[in-house]
């Protein structure tokens, strides 16, 4: 079999090679000159889109900075336990609800939803709390898991036990932590038992014992497991 020889450069090509080369680049040149207005317009369009994205990112960054300052001020009221003031504001400082309304598309506005959900929950305004938790953009981290567990707790209070159990399970997966996840799994098992889904509760408890054998809830897992197995017979 003949071996392929590397080209020697443009100056060393034969006339046949030059002719073959011309066959592919000539149509490209013809296409460009025939459609240069369209191509130029497309290039300008791409530039405009890029500029718009950069401009939007800059504006959003500035808005997020403003929202962070406002959030930092009102969170003091939340930490004091003044949940109504935290939601509605002080008259001089915007409340969480106003921050969400004006800056909801920013990361700080999203964080305000988490605080608002907790504040409504503490005030036993469960419908409003659930709305904020559901609109919160939850990541797989401590805060995301906490918001998901908040949704679960509300569904449990509303006696929607199967839904609550599934959300507690999700919270445990979102924040795989040896301190918090066992509590989420324990809550999931409790909700499954309340729903009468004893097989599901048994599976969760076995998983919890395997994943977190040193958890402080280990005795609780054993007790609930025995209960679920007895009820499942």
């Amino acid at each position: 079999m003949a071996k392929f020889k590397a080209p020697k450069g443009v100056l060393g090509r034969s006339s046949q090679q030059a002719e073959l080369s011309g066959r592919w680049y000539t149509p490209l040149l013809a296409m460009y000159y025939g459609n240069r207005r369209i191509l130029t317009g497309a290039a300008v369009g791409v530039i405009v889109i890029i500029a718009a994205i950069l401009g939007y990112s800059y504006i959003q960054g500035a808005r997020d900075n403003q929202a962070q300052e406002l959030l930092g001020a009102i969170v003091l009221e939340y930490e004091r336990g003044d949940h109504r003031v935290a939601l509605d504001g002080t008259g001089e400082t915007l409340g969480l609800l106003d921050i969400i309304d004006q800056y909801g598309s920013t990361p700080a506005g999203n964080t305000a939803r988490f605080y608002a959900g907790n504040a409504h929950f503490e005030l036993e305004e469960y419908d409003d709390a659930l709305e904020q938790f559901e609109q919160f953009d939850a990541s797989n981290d401590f805060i995301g898991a906490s918001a998901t567990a908040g949704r679960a707790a509300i569904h449990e209070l509303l006696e929607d036990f199967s839904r609550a159990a599934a959300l507690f399970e999700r919270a445990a997966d979102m924040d795989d932590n040896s301190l918090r996840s066992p509590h989420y799994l324990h809550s999931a098992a409790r909700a499954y038992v309340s729903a009468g889904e004893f097989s599901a509760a048994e599976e969760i408890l076995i998983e919890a014992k395997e994943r977190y054998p040193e958890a402080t809830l280990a005795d609780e897992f054993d007790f609930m497991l025995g209960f679920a197995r007895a009820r499942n017979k």
Side-chain angles (χ1 to χ4, degrees):
M1 179 182 294
K3 294 183 178 180
F4 176 78
K5 294 182 180 179
K8 297 180 181 179
V10 176
L11 295 178
R13 293 185 306 182
S14 66
S15 60
Q16 182 180 10
Q17 289 173 314
E19 181 182 355
L20 290 173
S21 176
R23 290 176 184 174
W24 66 261
Y25 73 71
T26 299
L28 289 179
L29 290 174
M31 182 190 73
Y32 171 75
Y33 284 111
N35 299 280
R36 60 184 179 274
R37 289 185 179 178
I38 296 175
L39 295 174
T40 301
V44 171
V46 170
I47 293 172
V48 170
I49 291 172
I50 293 174
I53 292 172
L54 293 175
Y56 177 79
S57 298
Y58 175 79
I59 293 172
Q60 282 295 91
R63 283 170 50 77
D64 186 54
N65 290 338
Q66 294 171 356
Q68 291 286 3
E69 291 183 14
L70 294 169
L71 182 60
I74 201 62
V75 160
L76 293 175
E77 304 297 333
Y78 174 91
E79 297 294 344
R80 293 190 186 109
D82 294 331
H83 298 110
R84 177 58 60 197
V85 174
L87 287 166
D88 296 336
T90 64
E92 297 178 355
T93 303
L94 288 183
L96 294 168
L97 297 179
D98 286 329
I99 294 173
I100 293 168
D101 184 55
Q102 298 181 30
Y103 301 93
S105 62
T106 66
N110 188 51
T111 303
R113 287 192 179 93
F114 173 76
Y115 279 105
N118 281 316
H120 281 303
F121 188 91
E122 293 295 333
L123 293 168
E124 299 183 2
E125 298 170 348
Y126 299 123
D127 290 340
D128 292 328
L130 185 59
E131 180 181 357
Q132 294 297 342
F133 284 140
E134 287 180 340
Q135 292 182 1
F136 176 71
D137 185 10
S139 301
N140 290 332
D141 54 21
F142 165 68
I143 295 179
S146 296
T148 303
R151 292 170 58 194
I154 295 169
H155 282 290
E156 189 173 21
L157 287 168
L158 298 174
E159 299 186 356
D160 186 0
F161 298 116
S162 294
R163 179 62 173 158
L167 287 168
F168 278 127
E169 279 192 81
R170 187 187 302 175
D173 291 335
M174 292 173 72
D175 181 28
D176 189 3
N177 179 280
S178 60
L179 294 177
R180 294 181 292 272
S181 288
H183 288 275
Y184 293 146
L185 292 174
H186 181 271
S187 296
R190 181 186 64 236
Y192 276 129
V193 167
S194 297
E197 300 179 34
F198 302 111
S199 294
E202 184 176 343
E203 291 178 8
I204 287 295
L205 291 164
I206 291 173
E207 176 190 351
K209 285 167 59 66
E210 291 176 349
R211 286 171 62 178
Y212 307 105
E214 304 298 326
T216 57
L217 291 173
D219 291 342
E220 279 289 318
F221 291 151
D222 289 333
F223 176 83
M224 291 185 69
L225 182 59
F227 179 84
R229 283 174 171 169
R231 295 297 301 272
N232 201 32
K233 290 181 180 180

